Amino acid sequence: MSAALGWQRAARSIRAVMQRELIDVLRDRRSLLLTLLYPISMLIMYGYGIRYDVENVAVTVLDYSETPESRTLIEELTRSGYFRIARHARHQREVERDLATERARAAAVIPYDFADRLRLGTPTAVQVLIDASDSNTATIAQGYALAIVNRFAARYADGAAVAPIEVASRVWYNPQLESVNFIVPGVIAVIMMIVGAILTALSIVKEKERGTIEQILVSPIRPIEMMIGKIVPYTIIAIVDLAIIVAAGYFVFGVPIKGSLVQFAFVSVLYLVCSLGVGVFVSTLADNMQTAMLAAVFLSLLPSVLLSGFVFPIEYMPVAIQAISYFFPGRYFVDAIRGIYLKGVGLEVLWPDAVFMTVFAVGIVALSAARFRDRLD
């Protein structure tokens, strides 16, 4: 048989397997609908549910001064949008009770001589109490409160009391500090890993459970042709899901892609190949759906959520965990896609991530294909 005839026969075999898999996918409409709705629901849950922003922190105010200056400071606290008045306390016990009962998350105590000291230009102190039972919220709220009070104090101070160095800070890439801008690219990594790895693994293992894998063994179709035919439909589904997430991120959450769409597509395809390779590898480890699901979650979903930097910054993890994260492609994909999405940079900066994903993709596909062939032989 000539090489041309061999390629034609392989193409026909792959097309036959692919058509059979597509019919199988389309026949199970509930699963297909869930697969297409899953990215939207996950994006909305993560986009609206996971927020690192702190807004409308309930604050109890105890204003001993009761002067125009103290009322201006209180107004600036509430006008910032970060705080809202839970109530105006009359004594310290009410402040302590509000913090204990969680009626307020913070309290501001303004001393009697607040206005007098401001007019004289002498130091004064505003006590800010923060409920730190939620350490993340407490840290952020403390920073907001200190910034507002310091800005107020600087405006009232005379020229001699103004600090000699003025710090002018500017936030880049995410100037509004919107956490959804941080979340949306990470959701893409999780969705693509789920669709690419878990669905592919379950699809192949399902053939084992049905016993149809033996029919393939006696057919002219080679294992590699079957593998390609099985993963192509899920590649299409993953690309559709990717388009849905990008469109929803833009139209629902207003998160545009600042970088190149071509480079965005390139790194996404690289990551998709990695996830498909993981799915085929999992299918070689499991002989039933339950085992395949557990293995797929362990090898794909958990690393893409916990070890990619999607939720928790990798640089703050223990060194051993940081070392483990290098073996999973989610780390490189989240880094690359956030660079393209938020910073507008391209492969001139992100090429190490692309190289690591390429190495992983080649390695996992070669390993999976070898194991897949061995299991069928």
Side-chain angles (χ1 to χ4, degrees):
M1 182 183 296
S2 65
L5 289 176
W7 281 109
Q8 289 178 4
R9 192 205 62 78
R12 284 197 301 271
S13 299
I14 292 172
R15 187 169 61 247
V17 174
M18 191 176 68
Q19 288 175 342
R20 176 179 174 278
E21 189 65 25
L22 277 173
I23 292 172
D24 211 16
V25 169
L26 294 174
R27 185 180 297 161
D28 189 359
R29 294 183 179 178
R30 290 183 181 178
S31 298
L32 180 61
L33 183 63
L34 288 175
T35 304
L36 296 177
L37 289 178
Y38 186 70
I40 288 288
S41 60
M42 192 167 178
L43 185 64
I44 290 175
M45 284 191 291
Y46 275 86
Y48 285 115
I50 297 180
R51 290 297 179 101
Y52 303 110
D53 312 323
V54 174
E55 299 175 346
N56 291 319
V57 176
V59 57
T60 293
V61 175
L62 177 55
D63 183 6
Y64 288 119
S65 178
E66 294 186 342
T67 56
E69 287 83 355
S70 64
R71 284 191 284 273
T72 301
L73 174 59
I74 296 169
E75 183 183 347
E76 290 197 8
L77 281 173
T78 55
R79 197 168 53 200
S80 68
Y82 301 127
F83 299 96
R84 62 176 174 82
I85 301 297
R87 73 162 159 172
H88 291 271
R90 290 169 296 180
H91 45 75
Q92 186 71 26
R93 287 194 301 277
E94 289 182 347
V95 171
E96 295 171 0
R97 189 185 309 126
D98 285 356
L99 291 174
T101 58
E102 297 186 355
R103 179 175 180 175
R105 290 287 185 182
V109 181
I110 303 175
Y112 289 106
D113 57 354
F114 177 73
D116 294 337
R117 285 180 174 273
L118 277 181
R119 294 181 193 122
L120 294 173
T122 56
T124 184
V126 174
Q127 186 180 34
V128 178
L129 305 171
I130 306 288
D131 175 4
S133 56
D134 179 349
S135 59
N136 182 60
T137 300
T139 303
I140 297 174
Q142 183 185 35
Y144 290 155
L146 291 178
I148 293 170
V149 172
N150 288 337
R151 189 169 59 239
F152 177 87
R155 196 166 62 247
Y156 271 83
D158 59 23
V162 173
I165 299 176
E166 181 181 358
V167 178
S169 63
R170 184 180 177 188
V171 179
W172 286 12
Y173 310 128
N174 185 12
Q176 291 79 31
L177 298 176
E178 294 280 350
S179 56
V180 69
N181 293 338
F182 178 78
I183 293 295
V184 168
V187 171
I188 293 176
V190 176
I191 292 291
M192 292 187 68
M193 183 55 77
I194 291 174
V195 174
I198 297 181
L199 292 186
T200 302
L202 294 180
S203 168
I204 296 175
V205 173
K206 185 170 63 178
E207 298 285 355
K208 295 181 182 178
E209 284 197 337
R210 286 177 177 176
T212 50
I213 205 81
E214 286 79 7
Q215 298 175 11
I216 297 173
L217 290 175
V218 297
S219 72
I221 298 175
R222 291 181 295 180
I224 188 65
E225 296 166 355
M226 177 196 167
M227 190 177 79
I228 295 173
K230 294 287 287 184
I231 65 176
V232 167
Y234 297 101
T235 304
I236 297 172
I237 292 175
I239 292 174
V240 171
D241 280 345
L242 175 64
I244 290 173
I245 299 170
V246 172
Y250 181 77
F251 290 110
V252 178
F253 295 103
V255 184
I257 299 176
K258 295 180 180 176
S260 165
L261 283 175
V262 174
Q263 296 187 16
F264 171 80
F266 174 71
V267 297
S268 298
V269 169
L270 267 182
Y271 184 66
L272 181 57
V273 174
C274 295
S275 65
L276 292 169
V278 172
V280 176
F281 178 74
V282 168
S283 73
T284 65
L285 301 175
D287 292 321
N288 56 65
M289 301 279 279
Q290 289 81 3
T291 305
M293 175 61 80
L294 289 174
V297 169
F298 181 73
L299 292 176
S300 63
L301 182 58
L302 292 182
S304 65
V305 173
L306 301 177
L307 299 179
S308 65
F310 163 42
V311 179
F312 310 107
I314 294 176
E315 57 269 26
Y316 300 141
M317 296 179 181
V319 174
I321 301 298
Q322 290 187 39
I324 294 173
S325 71
Y326 284 104
F327 294 95
F328 294 95
R331 173 189 177 118
Y332 310 109
F333 180 65
V334 169
D335 185 53
I337 201 169
R338 278 186 178 146
I340 296 173
Y341 238 106
L342 300 179
K343 299 180 180 179
V345 298
L347 291 177
E348 71 279 4
V349 174
L350 305 170
W351 64 266
D353 296 314
V355 169
F356 279 114
M357 280 195 288
T358 302
V359 171
F360 184 91
V362 171
I364 193 67
V365 168
L367 177 63
S368 302
R371 285 186 57 85
F372 191 78
R373 186 173 54 249
D374 291 342
R375 293 294 300 267
L376 293 183
D377 285 343

